[in-house]
């Protein structure tokens, strides 16, 4: 499942995640309240071996009716009752071997009672007739008065435990069954489901078609899928495997842009894992209003239609990360599935890392390093500003709460460090053993560790203990010195983080690179175990630069003070773009004329767009006239991602008409890239130039991929603090506006309310009803908006959102907002109490002064 993650991918590339997802930085809090207890894997009394669904979809009533047939086998003797998950389902009848049997339906459970208890191994078929108007699990999409062009579709989303809302099942990952789906839909519709398509039967009298699919590789219930609508199918192949793309008619070219690399990905993953693609086909269907980026249903991934993009977006946006992530799940998550949700990093961390591996294969090592840098930034942001937890963790209220940056990004980074720890050959040999040993089964983290230990001969207890079962990461401080008499370089590495029961000192393999004047390096591999290490290397002359972890392989924070001359040398000569970029970032803090000259040279001459982008960001931090000159020269850089960063940096020159002129010119004349125009709009607002508001209102007329131009124009309007901002935000919040523009308008209003107290009453009144909005993205954005406003009046709508919303992610964010706003309210109330006490003390003091004055007057001698 590609989580926060499709929108965050776009937002991270744009450099302003809050414009889309509403992340609002705050202090670290506990992952869970103290009262949340550990959750252990479910017991099973029977093995579900095969699931057959015979269903019909009623699109007008948004209903499903049908029969779910389960072939089950008792695990132990004396199985008298069997329980299924059946949330909000109407159960009409249950039959065993064709004969009615007793059942009870209550509390989201279906309990059937056998006339004669089953002996261990006894197999029986249970047929369950049911109907539902699902609110989760199965979603009906269609037009309304505000969104008249929305297609009529239905699609499912089972992960984590939502399959129970559209068919009765054992809805937990520790059971695997083969499956069969026979779905009847209107005759103009196409159905996509798991496995091989067996047949399509027409009922001309009823104007329907029935699609029959059979999937013969056992899988967990949450991976059963159904998507139905008017789709065009495009066919490709990866060796002997059919590769299918289903999209709305008219989106065929967009489908090829989005999904066209899938066959190459399949061949690459087969080669790296050493296990052929395991299913009869690989299908991808793009659906409207999907609530995740993608979902890795076995052999039939559901993707958000938002990943489909036009040729202009394709200049600097690719769907490959999303496509590769879901494809990797066909092995990691589907063929091998976590036994319980606490080990879900074995699904998501793996898919995230294989997404990066495809980037390495297709785009090269520098893009791969950038991919991992984004993962590190995402994890460190969550760890530093939200909460910290171990990767394997079983304290949660709803499983979806675990699907966070610790699970995805940190999980991916841990695999990368394991790769560096064992070496490439042993890493992929170990993964092959893990996959072949456990294919078709449920897994836990110990299975992965054991495979690595068996393949490499190494004991990896220390590695898994510190990175997977404990929390946090090393915080390192590095310094160096040269002893000219003894001809020795000493490099001191300290672990400066606080240790506790949940985070200890780390054992790390790391590289130290010593660079000469001409950029030549000698590299030394060291191991860090203690609080402080001093590593000594013999050299005739002092190195001009010392680089620690030059390829940025470790998950860490680092304090390493280096001279300007050393940073300039690294910016010029470091062989990895990620190292040159880090030097550019540090030079931005240095800010001298020499640093500006070095950054200017990097913008003009570096071979990798990312270094140019970070050099531009550094110049934006410096904000001198020479820095501005360098940025103005970079407006025409060939790579659009570098140009984005130039636009962003120009926005740092508030009140500078030359910066505003350059940004206004981009909005006037356009740019080949949607994203560059978007950044120019946001940056122009940040300059507070007098003409900004008029130009940004014009920009609101421009449709673009994912509404990036409108979203950033709204962000720019917020930055202007113009008196028209509230009216514009009100207009673009309306239901019927593009959803992502509505999300940005919420951000606009929150920003204004945060900075202008006089506007808060009006804005809180505008935002409060959105807790009941029909649009998922709007409700998801709302908690961060109320957090940013910081007014206790946000507590009531956030409580309502937490109590009423069906999505676990929204519930969690709303509960977090309630906690933060309640703390703020407590501080306000405490402040008010202190002010009241102070007023009382002042009043008492005044009375005491008056009394003292009277006493002094009485004590004075009277005139004779």
């Amino acid at each position: 499942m590609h989580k926060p993650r499709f929108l965050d991918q776009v937002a991270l590339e744009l450099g302003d995640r809050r414009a889309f997802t509403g992340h609002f930085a705050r202090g670290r809090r506990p992952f869970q309240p103290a009262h949340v207890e550990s959750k252990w894997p479910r017991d099973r009394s029977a093995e579900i071996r095969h699931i057959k669904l015979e269903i019909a979809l009623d699109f007008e009533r948004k209903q499903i009716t049908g029969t779910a047939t389960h072939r089950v086998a008792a695990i132990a003797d004396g199985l008298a009752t069997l329980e299924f998950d059946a949330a909000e389902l109407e159960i009409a009848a249950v039959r065993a071997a064709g004969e009615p049997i007793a059942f009870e339906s209550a509390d989201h459970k279906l309990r059937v009672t056998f006339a004669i208890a089953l002996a261990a191994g006894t197999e029986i078929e249970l047929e369950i007739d049911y109907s539902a108007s699902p609110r989760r699990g199965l979603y009906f999409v269609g037009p309304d008065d505000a969104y008249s062009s929305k297609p009529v579709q239905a699609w499912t989303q089972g992960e984590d435990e939502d399959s129970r809302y559209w068919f009765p099942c054992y809805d937990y990952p520790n059971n695997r069954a083969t499956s069969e789906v026979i779905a009847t839909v209107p005759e103009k519709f196409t159905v996509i489901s798991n496995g091989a398509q067996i047949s399509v039967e027409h009922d001309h009298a009823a104007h329907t078609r029935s699609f029959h699919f059979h999937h013969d590789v056992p899988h967990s219930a949450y991976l059963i899928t159904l998507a139905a609508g008017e789709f065009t199918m495009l066919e490709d192949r990866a060796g002997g495997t059919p590769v299918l793309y289903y999209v709305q008619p008219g989106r065929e070219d967009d489908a090829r842009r989005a999904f066209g690399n899938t066959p190459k990905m399949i061949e690459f993953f087969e080669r790296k894992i050493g296990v052929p693609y395991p299913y009869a086909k690989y299908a991808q269907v793009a659906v409207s209003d999907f609530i995740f980026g993608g979902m890795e249903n076995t052999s039939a991934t559901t993707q958000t239609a938002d990943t489909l993009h036009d040729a202009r977006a394709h200049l600097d946006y690719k769907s490959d990360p999303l496509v590769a992530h879901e494809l990797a799940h066909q092995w990691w998550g589907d063929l091998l599935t976590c036994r319980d949700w606490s080990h879900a990093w074995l699904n998501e961390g793996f898919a995230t890392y294989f997404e990066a591996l495809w980037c390495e294969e297709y785009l090269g090592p520098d893009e791969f390093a950038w991919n991992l840098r984004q993962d590190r930034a995402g994890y460190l942001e969550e760890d530093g500003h939200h909460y910290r937890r171990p990767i394997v963790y079983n304290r949660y209220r709803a499983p979806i709460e675990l699907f966070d940056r610790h699970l995805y990004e940190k999980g991916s980074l841990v695999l990368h460090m394991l790769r560096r720890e064992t070496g490439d050959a042993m890493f992929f040999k170990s993964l092959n053993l893990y996959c072949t040993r456990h294919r078709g089964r449920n897994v836990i983290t110990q299975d992965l560790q054991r495979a690595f230990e068996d393949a490499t001969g190494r004991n990896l207890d220390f590695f898994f203990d510190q990175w997977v079962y404990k929390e946090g990461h090393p915080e390192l401080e590095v310094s160096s010195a040269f002893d000219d008499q003894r001809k020795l370089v000493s490099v001191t590495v300290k672990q400066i983080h606080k240790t506790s029961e949940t985070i200890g000192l780390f054992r790390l393999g790391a590289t130290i690179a010593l660079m000469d004047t001409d950029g030549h390096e000698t590299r030394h591999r060291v191991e860090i175990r203690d609080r402080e290490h001093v590593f000594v290397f013999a050299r005739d002359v002092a190195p001009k630069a010392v680089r620690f972890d030059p390829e940025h392989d470790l998950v860490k924070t680092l304090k390493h003070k280096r001279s300007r001359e050393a940073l300039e040398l690294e910016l010029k000569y470091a062989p990895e773009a990620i190292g040159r970029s880090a030097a550019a970032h540090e030079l931005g803090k240095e800010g001298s004329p020499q640093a500006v000259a070095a950054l200017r040279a990097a913008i003009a001459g570096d071979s990798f767009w990312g270094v140019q982008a970070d050099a531009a960001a550094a110049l934006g931090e410096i904000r001198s006239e020479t820095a501005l000159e360098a940025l103005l020269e970079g407006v025409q850089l060939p790579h659009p991602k570098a140009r984005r960063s130039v636009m962003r940096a120009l926005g740092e020159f508030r009140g500078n008409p030359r910066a505003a002129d350059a940004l206004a010119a981009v909005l006037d004349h356009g740019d080949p890239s949607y994203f560059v125009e978007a950044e120019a709009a946001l940056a122009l607002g940040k300059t507070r130039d007098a003409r900004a508001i008029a130009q940004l209102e014009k920009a609101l007329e421009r449709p673009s991929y994912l509404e990036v131009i409108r979203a950033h124009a709204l962000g720019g309007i917020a930055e202007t603090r113009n008196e028209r901002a509230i009216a514009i935000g009100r207009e673009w919040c309306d239901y019927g506006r593009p959803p992502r523009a509505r999300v940005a308008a919420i951000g606009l209003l929150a920003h204004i309310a945060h900075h202008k107290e006089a506007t808060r009453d009006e804005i809180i009144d505008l935002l409060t009803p959105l807790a009941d909005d029909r649009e998922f993205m709007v409700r998801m954005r709302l908690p961060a908006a109320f957090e940013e406003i910081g007014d206790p009046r946000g507590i009531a709508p956030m409580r309502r959102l937490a109590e009423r919303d069906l999505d676990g992610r929204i519930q969690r964010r709303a509960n977090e907002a309630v906690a933060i706003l309640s703390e703020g309210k407590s501080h306000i109330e405490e402040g008010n109490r202190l002010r009241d006490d102070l007023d009382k003390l002042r009043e008492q003091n005044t009375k005491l002064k008056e009394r003292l004055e009277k006493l002094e007057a009485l004590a004075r001698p009277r005139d004779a």
Side-chain angles (χ1 to χ4, degrees), residues 493-504:
V493 182
K494 299 178 182 179
Q495 300 194 51
I496 60 174
H497 57 273
K498 293 181 180 178
T499 57
S500 67
E501 290 183 2
T502 58
I503 178 171

Side-chain angles (χ1 to χ4, degrees), residues 378-670:
Y379 157 67
L380 290 172
E381 190 269 343
E382 183 171 87
D383 176 88
H385 297 295
H386 296 262
Y387 55 79
R388 169 176 283 179
R389 70 173 182 87
I391 290 178
V392 172
Y393 199 60
N394 68 349
R395 286 186 59 238
Y396 55 87
R397 288 166 293 194
I400 194 65
E401 294 183 315
L402 296 174
F403 287 72
D404 60 5
R405 299 186 184 283
H406 286 69
L407 201 74
Y408 287 75
E409 282 90 341
K410 188 179 182 182
S412 167
L413 295 164
V414 166
L415 287 173
H416 180 66
M417 290 186 291
L418 187 57
R419 178 184 174 190
R420 291 292 187 248
E421 181 72 31
T422 60
D424 274 22
M426 285 295 156
F427 178 77
F428 289 107
K429 176 185 176 183
S430 301
L431 288 186
N432 173 263
L433 178 61
Y434 171 61
C435 188
T436 53
R437 177 182 283 177
H438 298 287
R439 67 177 295 161
R441 293 165 55 189
N442 289 105
V443 287
I444 56 176
T445 301
Q446 290 89 331
D447 296 320
L448 176 68
Q449 180 179 341
R450 192 171 296 113
F452 266 83
E453 291 179 339
D454 289 349
T456 65
R458 296 188 55 185
N459 185 308
L460 293 169
D461 283 344
F462 79 94
F463 184 92
F464 282 85
D465 179 65
Q466 68 188 18
W467 288 118
V468 180
Y469 300 116
K470 289 184 178 176
E471 62 186 28
H473 52 269
E475 299 171 26
L476 304 177
E477 185 175 86
V478 174
S479 59
S480 61
F482 181 68
D483 186 330
D484 194 40
Q485 290 186 334
R486 300 170 64 193
K487 305 299 181 186
L488 295 175
V489 178
S490 62
V491 179
T492 302
V493 182
K494 299 178 182 179
Q495 300 194 51
I496 60 174
H497 57 273
K498 293 181 180 178
T499 57
S500 67
E501 290 183 2
T502 58
I503 178 171
L505 293 176
F506 284 78
R507 175 177 165 184
L508 307 166
T511 298
I512 296 173
L514 308 178
M515 181 180 280
D516 296 329
T517 305
D518 60 358
H520 177 265
E521 283 188 333
T522 55
R523 295 195 172 191
H524 305 271
R525 191 72 180 167
V526 300
E527 186 173 64
I528 300 160
R529 290 177 180 240
D530 300 329
R531 173 68 73 180
E532 180 174 340
H533 282 273
V534 179
F535 301 102
V536 179
F537 311 102
R539 279 180 65 96
D540 292 334
V541 296
K544 295 300 180 183
V546 175
R547 300 202 297 145
F548 180 83
D549 187 26
E551 294 182 316
H552 292 240
D553 290 324
L554 298 175
V555 179
K556 66 184 185 304
T557 59
L558 177 65
K559 295 180 179 179
H560 186 190
K561 181 67 177 174
R562 291 162 288 171
S563 69
R564 173 182 55 78
E565 293 81 4
L567 292 169
E568 289 175 6
L569 198 68
E570 292 177 36
L571 178 58
K572 186 175 183 180
Y573 288 119
E576 317 88 0
I578 196 75
R580 302 196 299 277
S581 172
H585 176 72
E586 291 298 318
L587 282 169
K589 299 175 184 176
E590 207 274 345
S592 66
Q594 296 93 331
V596 171
L599 292 166
R600 188 173 196 165
I603 285 183
D606 200 276
S607 59
F608 186 63
W609 68 265
V611 180
Q612 294 175 315
D614 281 3
L619 289 168
E621 286 186 33
I622 293 170
R623 292 193 289 274
S624 67
E625 281 299 314
T626 50
L628 177 59
E629 291 290 344
L631 288 168
L632 292 174
E633 292 169 4
V635 168
Q636 300 299 326
L637 284 172
H639 201 293
K641 289 185 180 180
R643 293 201 304 280
R644 293 183 200 175
S645 187
V646 170
M647 300 300 131
R648 200 176 305 136
L650 288 171
E652 300 298 323
F653 290 81
R654 182 171 296 168
N656 190 305
R658 297 178 67 204
D661 286 345
L663 294 166
V666 172
L667 288 178
D668 279 338
H669 305 300

Side-chain angles (χ1 to χ4, degrees), residues 659-686:
D661 286 345
L663 294 166
V666 172
L667 288 178
D668 279 338
H669 305 300
D671 187 277
S673 164
Y674 290 126
F675 301 97
V676 174
E677 277 193 44
E679 288 290 0
L682 180 59
L684 181 60
K686 287 182 176 180

Side-chain angles (χ1 to χ4, degrees), residues 6-21 313 316-317 374 609 613 617 640-649 673-683 686 704-713 740:
F6 172 71
L7 287 180
D8 281 355
Q9 174 201 339
V10 177
L12 276 167
E13 287 187 353
L14 283 166
D16 186 21
R17 189 187 304 152
R18 282 177 55 200
F20 289 90
T21 55
D316 52 334
Y317 172 79
Q374 288 188 359
W609 68 265
K641 289 185 180 180
R643 293 201 304 280
R644 293 183 200 175
S645 187
V646 170
M647 300 300 131
R648 200 176 305 136
S673 164
Y674 290 126
F675 301 97
V676 174
E677 277 193 44
E679 288 290 0
L682 180 59
K686 287 182 176 180
S704 58
Y705 175 62
L706 292 185
E707 299 295 333
V708 290
I709 294 176
R710 283 178 176 141
H712 281 68
R740 282 182 181 78

Side-chain angles (χ1 to χ4, degrees), residues 92 113 126 183 188 200 262 331-332 375 430 448 451 482 499-500 508 523 536 559 566 673 717 756 796 828 840:
T113 302
L126 292 172
K188 62 182 180 179
V200 181
T262 305
W331 288 266
W332 315 118
D375 285 351
S430 301
L448 176 68
F482 181 68
T499 57
S500 67
L508 307 166
R523 295 195 172 191
V536 179
K559 295 180 179 179
S673 164
I717 290 168
K756 291 189 176 183
I828 291 169
K840 289 176 183 177

